[in-house]
Amino acid sequence: MPRYEVTIETDACDGIFACLTRDPRFVEGADGLATIDPDGDPIYDGDGTVTDADGRVVATFDDDRIDDAKRAAAACPTDAILVREVGE
C-alpha cells in the first residue's frame, strides 16, 4: 500500500474549504483555515501523523485513500495542497 504525504501551505489557504467536501480528513482549524485531522473522518481507521509548524500542515498516511486526498488538492482554488507518494 502506498505511503503518501499531504501538505497544506497555510499562507496560501484562504479558507474556501473546497477540500473539506472531497476528503473528510480535511477540517476547519482554530485559525479559520484548512487543516488535517485523521480522526475527523469517522470511517478512517489507519495510522496518520500530522505536524503543524512554520506555516505548513504536513500529514502522512499509509492507506488506500490517496485519491481522496488528490481530489481535495485539485479542488483547492489557491493550490495550497500538495499530495505526493513517499514510499511503500
Side-chain angles (χ1 to χ4, degrees):
M1 190 165 311
R3 188 168 163 80
Y4 60 99
E5 186 176 87
V6 180
T7 302
I8 302 173
E9 297 290 342
T10 55
D11 291 342
C13 178
D14 62 2
I16 292 175
F17 302 124
C19 55
L20 276 64
T21 63
R22 277 35 175 225
D23 185 335
R25 295 173 292 183
F26 287 81
V27 297
E28 182 177 355
D31 58 1
L33 301 175
T35 191
I36 300 171
D37 179 4
D39 296 328
D41 181 358
I43 64 168
Y44 178 72
D45 63 355
D47 293 323
T49 61
V50 180
T51 60
D52 186 348
D54 301 323
R56 178 178 287 160
V57 176
V58 180
T60 305
F61 295 102
D62 186 7
D63 61 23
D64 62 353
R65 304 214 22 223
I66 190 170
D67 289 337
D68 292 344
K70 286 181 179 179
R71 279 190 285 278
C76 179
T78 62
D79 295 325
I81 303 168
L82 172 69
V83 179
R84 67 184 185 101
E85 287 191 36
V86 293
E88 291 282 326

XYZ file of all heavy atoms in Angstrom:
654
model
N 0.847 -1.167 0.000
C 0.000 0.000 0.000
C 0.901 1.240 0.000
O 1.861 1.306 0.749
C -0.890 -0.019 1.233
C -1.955 1.017 1.211
S -3.273 0.758 2.420
C -3.706 -0.943 2.166
N 0.566 2.228 -0.822
C 1.438 3.411 -0.883
C 1.353 4.265 0.375
O 0.305 4.377 1.003
C 0.906 4.181 -2.087
C -0.504 3.763 -2.225
C -0.560 2.335 -1.744
N 2.467 4.819 0.734
C 2.542 5.798 1.812
C 2.584 7.157 1.121
O 3.292 7.345 0.143
C 3.809 5.535 2.616
C 3.950 6.313 3.852
C 5.116 5.689 4.666
N 5.573 6.595 5.655
C 4.984 6.799 6.812
N 3.900 6.128 7.109
N 5.449 7.657 7.673
N 1.805 8.109 1.625
C 1.753 9.405 0.971
C 1.693 10.531 1.992
O 1.345 10.334 3.150
C 0.582 9.496 -0.011
C -0.785 9.308 0.602
C -1.581 10.391 0.929
C -1.284 8.033 0.841
C -2.839 10.216 1.491
C -2.530 7.846 1.400
C -3.303 8.941 1.722
O -4.539 8.752 2.274
N 2.073 11.702 1.507
C 2.146 12.886 2.344
C 1.229 13.952 1.761
O 1.207 14.160 0.549
C 3.590 13.369 2.354
C 3.899 14.499 3.270
C 5.379 14.797 3.242
O 5.804 15.593 2.372
O 6.109 14.210 4.068
N 0.489 14.602 2.623
C -0.404 15.702 2.238
C 0.110 16.953 2.949
O 0.257 16.957 4.163
C -1.859 15.424 2.654
C -2.762 16.580 2.249
C -2.353 14.111 2.079
N 0.387 17.994 2.161
C 0.887 19.242 2.726
C -0.085 20.371 2.407
O -0.519 20.513 1.265
C 2.270 19.589 2.137
O 3.178 18.515 2.401
C 2.817 20.874 2.741
N -0.416 21.153 3.422
C -1.210 22.371 3.234
C -0.299 23.545 3.564
O 0.223 23.647 4.678
C -2.440 22.431 4.154
C -3.364 21.230 3.947
C -3.206 23.736 3.933
C -4.503 21.153 4.950
N -0.093 24.414 2.590
C 0.637 25.659 2.814
C -0.379 26.659 3.364
O -1.201 27.187 2.617
C 1.257 26.162 1.511
C 2.285 25.236 0.911
C 3.573 25.151 1.708
O 3.840 26.041 2.546
O 4.322 24.185 1.493
N -0.340 26.895 4.666
C -1.382 27.717 5.276
C -1.323 29.175 4.818
O -2.346 29.871 4.844
C -1.334 27.632 6.808
O -0.024 27.973 7.268
C -1.687 26.219 7.277
N -0.164 29.647 4.391
C -0.081 31.013 3.863
C -0.878 31.160 2.573
O -1.352 32.250 2.252
C 1.370 31.414 3.607
C 2.154 31.583 4.899
O 1.534 31.725 5.973
O 3.402 31.574 4.842
N -1.026 30.076 1.830
C -1.763 30.109 0.562
C -3.249 29.803 0.744
O -4.062 30.131 -0.111
C -1.155 29.123 -0.428
N -3.610 29.167 1.861
C -5.012 28.803 2.112
C -5.811 30.065 2.424
O -5.393 30.898 3.217
C -5.099 27.829 3.283
S -6.786 27.344 3.734
N -6.980 30.174 1.788
C -7.823 31.331 2.081
C -9.160 30.945 2.707
O -10.076 31.756 2.785
C -8.030 32.199 0.843
C -8.742 31.476 -0.274
O -9.120 30.308 -0.080
O -8.923 32.071 -1.348
N -9.295 29.701 3.158
C -10.478 29.291 3.894
C -11.722 29.078 3.065
O -12.826 29.189 3.577
N -11.579 28.753 1.800
C -12.744 28.443 0.970
C -13.298 27.069 1.331
O -14.481 26.821 1.250
C -12.390 28.531 -0.529
C -12.123 29.983 -0.883
C -13.492 27.938 -1.398
C -11.655 30.213 -2.291
N -12.442 26.153 1.746
C -12.803 24.830 2.238
C -13.389 23.894 1.186
O -14.162 22.993 1.520
C -13.740 24.901 3.446
C -13.164 25.677 4.589
C -13.846 26.751 5.112
C -11.936 25.342 5.123
C -13.322 27.478 6.164
C -11.390 26.064 6.169
C -12.091 27.132 6.693
N -13.025 24.054 -0.065
C -13.445 23.093 -1.082
C -12.870 21.709 -0.779
O -13.479 20.699 -1.120
C -13.003 23.562 -2.468
N -11.742 21.659 -0.105
C -11.110 20.384 0.234
C -11.964 19.577 1.208
O -11.995 18.345 1.137
C -9.715 20.610 0.809
S -9.663 21.727 2.240
N -12.668 20.251 2.102
C -13.457 19.555 3.116
C -14.545 18.683 2.519
O -14.913 17.660 3.105
C -14.097 20.555 4.085
C -13.255 21.039 5.250
C -12.044 21.814 4.827
C -14.102 21.850 6.203
N -15.063 19.062 1.372
C -16.138 18.285 0.761
C -15.604 17.102 -0.041
O -16.387 16.253 -0.456
C -17.014 19.155 -0.146
O -16.233 19.663 -1.228
C -17.618 20.313 0.639
N -14.302 17.047 -0.256
C -13.704 15.956 -1.041
C -13.075 14.876 -0.167
O -12.950 13.738 -0.565
C -12.614 16.489 -1.972
C -12.992 17.087 -3.309
C -14.256 17.827 -3.334
N -14.522 18.475 -4.607
C -14.958 19.719 -4.695
N -15.109 20.455 -3.616
N -15.255 20.228 -5.858
N -12.629 15.256 1.027
C -11.959 14.306 1.923
C -12.252 14.752 3.349
O -11.829 15.836 3.758
C -10.455 14.308 1.643
C -9.689 13.268 2.441
O -10.157 12.855 3.527
O -8.599 12.880 1.991
N -12.990 13.961 4.133
C -13.393 14.383 5.467
C -12.248 14.482 6.477
O -12.464 14.948 7.593
C -14.423 13.336 5.893
C -14.183 12.173 5.024
C -13.589 12.685 3.747
N -11.041 14.085 6.092
C -9.899 14.279 6.986
C -9.466 15.744 7.004
O -8.761 16.170 7.912
C -8.728 13.386 6.566
C -9.056 11.890 6.721
C -7.992 11.027 6.158
N -7.945 11.157 4.698
C -7.137 10.465 3.916
N -6.300 9.587 4.443
N -7.154 10.638 2.605
N -9.904 16.518 6.007
C -9.665 17.958 5.999
C -10.760 18.609 6.833
O -11.944 18.326 6.643
C -9.717 18.513 4.566
C -8.522 18.147 3.744
C -8.432 16.900 3.149
C -7.486 19.048 3.557
C -7.337 16.551 2.375
C -6.386 18.710 2.782
C -6.303 17.464 2.196
N -10.361 19.470 7.752
C -11.304 20.137 8.645
C -10.909 21.605 8.785
O -9.794 21.999 8.429
C -11.346 19.471 10.045
C -11.843 18.037 9.953
C -9.988 19.524 10.711
N -11.822 22.404 9.321
C -11.502 23.797 9.615
C -10.733 23.860 10.924
O -11.179 23.341 11.947
C -12.769 24.638 9.707
C -12.477 26.095 9.965
C -13.707 26.982 9.996
O -14.815 26.481 9.721
O -13.550 28.176 10.310
N -9.577 24.505 10.889
C -8.762 24.662 12.082
C -9.210 25.844 12.927
O -10.063 26.649 12.519
N -8.640 25.973 14.093
C -8.981 27.064 15.008
C -8.678 28.432 14.404
O -9.306 29.421 14.777
C -8.211 26.887 16.322
N -7.744 28.482 13.456
C -7.380 29.746 12.821
C -8.272 30.101 11.638
O -8.061 31.097 10.955
C -5.916 29.720 12.381
C -5.606 28.589 11.413
O -6.520 27.812 11.035
O -4.424 28.462 11.027
N -9.280 29.257 11.350
C -10.190 29.511 10.245
C -9.673 29.046 8.905
O -10.268 29.343 7.872
N -8.579 28.295 8.909
C -8.003 27.750 7.687
C -8.108 26.234 7.704
O -8.367 25.629 8.742
C -6.534 28.183 7.556
C -6.294 29.691 7.525
C -4.803 29.991 7.523
C -6.988 30.332 6.332
N -7.882 25.631 6.561
C -7.948 24.173 6.473
C -6.786 23.544 7.226
O -5.665 24.062 7.252
C -7.910 23.734 5.012
N -7.072 22.418 7.843
C -6.048 21.598 8.472
C -6.461 20.143 8.271
O -7.480 19.863 7.631
C -5.867 21.954 9.963
O -4.681 21.297 10.456
C -7.074 21.561 10.795
N -5.683 19.221 8.788
C -5.972 17.799 8.611
C -6.118 17.149 9.970
O -5.279 17.336 10.851
C -4.850 17.109 7.812
C -4.720 17.763 6.437
C -5.122 15.608 7.682
C -3.517 17.322 5.656
N -7.190 16.393 10.125
C -7.446 15.641 11.350
C -7.878 14.241 10.952
O -9.022 14.043 10.534
C -8.541 16.322 12.161
C -8.882 15.573 13.442
O -8.214 14.556 13.756
O -9.818 15.996 14.136
N -6.973 13.258 11.056
C -7.356 11.890 10.692
C -8.589 11.407 11.440
O -9.377 10.623 10.919
C -6.136 11.052 11.070
C -4.998 12.008 11.051
C -5.584 13.330 11.493
N -8.795 11.894 12.666
C -9.961 11.491 13.457
C -11.224 12.225 13.035
O -12.306 11.928 13.528
C -9.700 11.725 14.943
C -8.575 10.861 15.463
O -8.405 9.733 14.953
O -7.846 11.321 16.365
N -11.103 13.198 12.112
C -12.266 13.922 11.623
C -13.131 13.097 10.694
O -14.250 13.468 10.380
N -12.605 11.967 10.243
C -13.327 11.075 9.343
C -13.760 9.842 10.116
O -12.912 9.056 10.542
C -12.420 10.683 8.175
C -13.093 9.773 7.182
O -14.260 9.400 7.384
O -12.440 9.424 6.191
N -15.047 9.657 10.318
C -15.499 8.523 11.134
C -15.183 7.151 10.543
O -15.165 6.167 11.266
C -17.011 8.734 11.245
C -17.367 9.639 10.126
C -16.150 10.465 9.829
N -14.905 7.070 9.235
C -14.600 5.754 8.668
C -13.109 5.511 8.522
O -12.685 4.416 8.197
C -15.286 5.548 7.296
C -14.769 6.522 6.260
C -16.783 5.623 7.437
C -15.172 6.187 4.840
N -12.276 6.519 8.770
C -10.827 6.343 8.658
C -10.321 5.522 9.831
O -10.580 5.849 10.985
C -10.123 7.706 8.622
C -8.623 7.584 8.567
C -8.003 7.154 7.403
C -7.843 7.864 9.664
C -6.638 7.019 7.339
C -6.482 7.740 9.616
C -5.872 7.322 8.451
O -4.512 7.177 8.399
N -9.600 4.458 9.540
C -9.086 3.613 10.621
C -7.600 3.335 10.479
O -7.068 2.426 11.078
C -9.863 2.302 10.705
C -9.710 1.456 9.444
O -9.092 1.920 8.470
O -10.200 0.319 9.438
N -6.907 4.132 9.711
C -5.477 3.938 9.516
C -4.663 4.752 10.497
O -5.179 5.382 11.411
N -3.362 4.694 10.290
C -2.444 5.477 11.102
C -2.055 6.721 10.320
O -1.564 6.627 9.205
C -1.195 4.671 11.439
C -1.496 3.508 12.359
O -2.356 3.678 13.235
O -0.881 2.449 12.197
N -2.259 7.853 10.894
C -1.877 9.104 10.262
C -1.135 9.969 11.251
O -1.460 9.988 12.428
N -0.106 10.655 10.776
C 0.611 11.594 11.619
C 0.449 12.981 11.020
O 0.444 13.139 9.799
C 2.103 11.252 11.715
O 2.680 11.303 10.408
C 2.313 9.863 12.301
N 0.310 13.984 11.884
C 0.110 15.353 11.427
C 1.026 16.276 12.226
O 1.073 16.190 13.451
C -1.353 15.804 11.612
C -1.540 17.234 11.123
C -2.311 14.870 10.902
N 1.740 17.142 11.500
C 2.507 18.196 12.145
C 2.027 19.534 11.600
O 1.601 19.629 10.448
C 4.024 18.053 11.891
O 4.283 18.105 10.488
C 4.561 16.749 12.459
N 2.091 20.548 12.426
C 1.659 21.888 12.041
C 2.712 22.863 12.554
O 2.751 23.168 13.742
C 0.290 22.183 12.654
C -0.296 23.498 12.186
O 0.433 24.303 11.562
O -1.476 23.736 12.457
N 3.578 23.314 11.642
C 4.657 24.219 12.031
C 5.114 25.033 10.828
O 5.041 24.569 9.680
C 5.829 23.420 12.598
N 5.584 26.217 11.099
C 6.175 27.077 10.071
C 5.259 27.314 8.877
O 5.700 27.298 7.731
C 7.514 26.498 9.597
C 8.522 26.344 10.726
O 8.537 27.218 11.607
O 9.270 25.359 10.726
N 3.954 27.508 9.134
C 3.021 27.806 8.055
C 2.707 26.633 7.157
O 2.264 26.805 6.031
N 2.897 25.432 7.666
C 2.691 24.234 6.859
C 2.113 23.119 7.728
O 2.625 22.815 8.792
C 4.043 23.810 6.284
C 4.001 22.561 5.466
C 5.359 22.248 4.908
N 5.603 23.220 3.848
C 6.787 23.523 3.383
N 7.854 22.974 3.888
N 6.923 24.392 2.408
N 1.020 22.532 7.251
C 0.456 21.334 7.874
C 0.886 20.163 7.004
O 0.656 20.161 5.794
C -1.084 21.398 7.935
C -1.653 20.103 8.498
C -1.541 22.598 8.749
N 1.538 19.172 7.621
C 2.007 18.000 6.880
C 1.455 16.750 7.547
O 1.663 16.533 8.741
C 3.552 17.923 6.827
C 3.993 16.698 6.052
C 4.140 19.184 6.218
N 0.746 15.948 6.755
C 0.175 14.698 7.251
C 0.704 13.550 6.408
O 0.820 13.668 5.184
C -1.339 14.726 7.181
N 1.028 12.454 7.061
C 1.496 11.261 6.367
C 0.522 10.132 6.648
O 0.140 9.911 7.800
C 2.913 10.868 6.837
O 3.778 11.988 6.658
C 3.442 9.693 6.045
N 0.112 9.460 5.582
C -0.857 8.377 5.692
C -0.336 7.120 5.025
O 0.445 7.183 4.073
C -2.180 8.766 5.022
C -2.874 9.908 5.685
C -2.807 11.183 5.143
C -3.593 9.719 6.849
C -3.454 12.248 5.743
C -4.249 10.781 7.458
C -4.171 12.045 6.907
N -0.809 5.991 5.509
C -0.471 4.684 4.957
C -1.789 3.931 4.782
O -2.148 3.092 5.594
C 0.463 3.961 5.924
C 0.982 2.654 5.351
O 0.727 2.374 4.174
O 1.647 1.920 6.093
N -2.537 4.321 3.732
C -3.839 3.713 3.484
C -4.138 3.781 1.988
O -3.279 4.166 1.200
C -4.932 4.405 4.310
C -5.095 5.883 3.980
O -4.722 6.300 2.870
O -5.603 6.632 4.821
N -5.334 3.419 1.622
C -5.697 3.395 0.201
C -6.551 4.597 -0.202
O -7.290 4.544 -1.163
C -6.424 2.095 -0.133
C -7.728 1.935 0.623
O -8.024 2.764 1.507
O -8.450 0.974 0.326
N -6.407 5.729 0.509
C -7.270 6.891 0.261
C -6.529 8.052 -0.385
O -6.951 9.198 -0.293
C -7.913 7.326 1.565
C -8.672 6.146 2.160
C -9.906 6.366 2.911
N -10.641 7.541 2.706
C -11.173 8.228 3.711
N -10.997 7.854 4.951
N -11.886 9.299 3.467
N -5.447 7.762 -1.081
C -4.677 8.825 -1.733
C -5.532 9.568 -2.757
O -5.392 10.775 -2.926
C -3.372 8.285 -2.352
C -2.480 9.455 -2.810
C -3.656 7.310 -3.487
C -1.078 9.049 -3.213
N -6.442 8.861 -3.434
C -7.288 9.527 -4.430
C -8.203 10.567 -3.784
O -8.463 11.617 -4.381
C -8.098 8.513 -5.237
C -7.229 7.711 -6.188
O -6.138 8.197 -6.560
O -7.638 6.592 -6.550
N -8.687 10.298 -2.576
C -9.492 11.293 -1.857
C -8.666 12.549 -1.591
O -9.139 13.669 -1.786
C -9.997 10.741 -0.523
C -11.021 9.635 -0.685
O -11.574 9.475 -1.794
O -11.272 8.928 0.309
N -7.432 12.351 -1.149
C -6.555 13.489 -0.875
C -6.239 14.254 -2.158
O -6.202 15.492 -2.159
C -5.273 13.007 -0.205
N -6.038 13.541 -3.260
C -5.764 14.200 -4.541
C -6.972 15.006 -5.017
O -6.812 16.098 -5.570
C -5.359 13.176 -5.595
C -3.954 12.639 -5.396
C -3.609 11.645 -6.475
C -2.201 11.123 -6.312
N -1.857 10.132 -7.359
N -8.175 14.500 -4.793
C -9.381 15.247 -5.156
C -9.490 16.522 -4.316
O -9.871 17.586 -4.824
C -10.629 14.390 -4.991
C -10.885 13.453 -6.158
C -12.246 12.796 -6.071
N -12.297 11.746 -5.066
C -11.873 10.504 -5.248
N -11.340 10.148 -6.390
N -11.968 9.615 -4.290
N -9.150 16.427 -3.053
C -9.172 17.613 -2.196
C -8.156 18.647 -2.681
O -8.458 19.840 -2.735
C -8.884 17.220 -0.749
N -6.975 18.182 -3.055
C -5.943 19.091 -3.558
C -6.379 19.747 -4.866
O -6.187 20.950 -5.062
C -4.630 18.346 -3.747
N -6.982 18.970 -5.750
C -7.424 19.508 -7.043
C -8.533 20.538 -6.871
O -8.660 21.459 -7.673
C -7.901 18.369 -7.949
N -9.328 20.407 -5.812
C -10.431 21.333 -5.577
C -9.976 22.668 -4.992
O -10.712 23.643 -5.040
C -11.457 20.695 -4.640
N -8.772 22.719 -4.468
C -8.280 23.934 -3.823
C -7.996 25.011 -4.868
O -7.103 24.853 -5.701
C -7.007 23.637 -3.031
S -6.330 25.097 -2.217
N -8.737 26.125 -4.829
C -8.558 27.162 -5.850
C -7.247 27.931 -5.722
O -6.834 28.588 -6.666
C -9.757 28.084 -5.641
C -10.142 27.881 -4.229
C -9.800 26.450 -3.906
N -6.581 27.828 -4.573
C -5.318 28.547 -4.398
C -4.104 27.625 -4.494
O -2.981 28.062 -4.245
C -5.297 29.274 -3.037
O -5.389 28.304 -1.989
C -6.419 30.287 -2.930
N -4.337 26.355 -4.846
C -3.254 25.367 -4.952
C -2.411 25.282 -3.675
O -1.194 25.140 -3.735
C -2.356 25.663 -6.155
C -3.097 25.516 -7.481
O -3.955 24.633 -7.570
O -2.819 26.302 -8.407
N -3.075 25.356 -2.535
C -2.387 25.312 -1.249
C -2.086 23.886 -0.775
O -1.395 23.715 0.215
C -3.216 26.036 -0.189
N -2.600 22.873 -1.496
C -2.471 21.485 -1.055
C -1.642 20.693 -2.046
O -1.900 20.732 -3.251
C -3.856 20.833 -0.893
C -4.716 21.634 0.087
C -3.722 19.383 -0.430
C -6.178 21.235 0.092
N -0.686 19.956 -1.542
C 0.163 19.080 -2.350
C 0.048 17.663 -1.792
O 0.135 17.462 -0.584
C 1.626 19.547 -2.289
C 2.652 18.626 -2.930
C 2.479 18.611 -4.445
C 4.049 19.067 -2.557
N -0.131 16.700 -2.687
C -0.179 15.290 -2.306
C 0.919 14.574 -3.071
O 1.009 14.706 -4.296
C -1.550 14.648 -2.650
C -1.557 13.175 -2.265
C -2.681 15.396 -1.956
N 1.746 13.814 -2.350
C 2.813 13.074 -3.041
C 3.073 11.751 -2.342
O 2.980 11.665 -1.111
C 4.084 13.890 -3.142
C 4.758 14.164 -1.824
C 5.978 15.059 -1.994
N 6.660 15.211 -0.728
C 7.757 14.560 -0.385
N 8.329 13.747 -1.225
N 8.297 14.736 0.796
N 3.375 10.743 -3.149
C 3.749 9.451 -2.593
C 5.152 9.547 -2.018
O 6.019 10.182 -2.596
C 3.688 8.361 -3.667
C 2.260 7.998 -4.033
C 2.176 6.748 -4.883
O 2.974 5.812 -4.679
O 1.298 6.714 -5.753
N 5.357 8.909 -0.872
C 6.654 8.943 -0.221
C 7.215 7.545 0.043
O 8.175 7.392 0.760
C 6.622 9.765 1.093
C 6.382 11.232 0.809
C 5.593 9.232 2.063
N 6.623 6.532 -0.569
C 7.144 5.173 -0.422
C 6.049 4.172 -0.176
O 4.877 4.462 -0.232
N 6.480 2.966 0.071
C 5.553 1.850 0.336
C 5.531 1.559 1.797
O 6.428 1.713 2.513
C 6.020 0.599 -0.420
C 5.874 0.722 -1.907
C 4.457 0.529 -2.414
O 3.729 -0.278 -1.830
O 4.094 1.177 -3.377
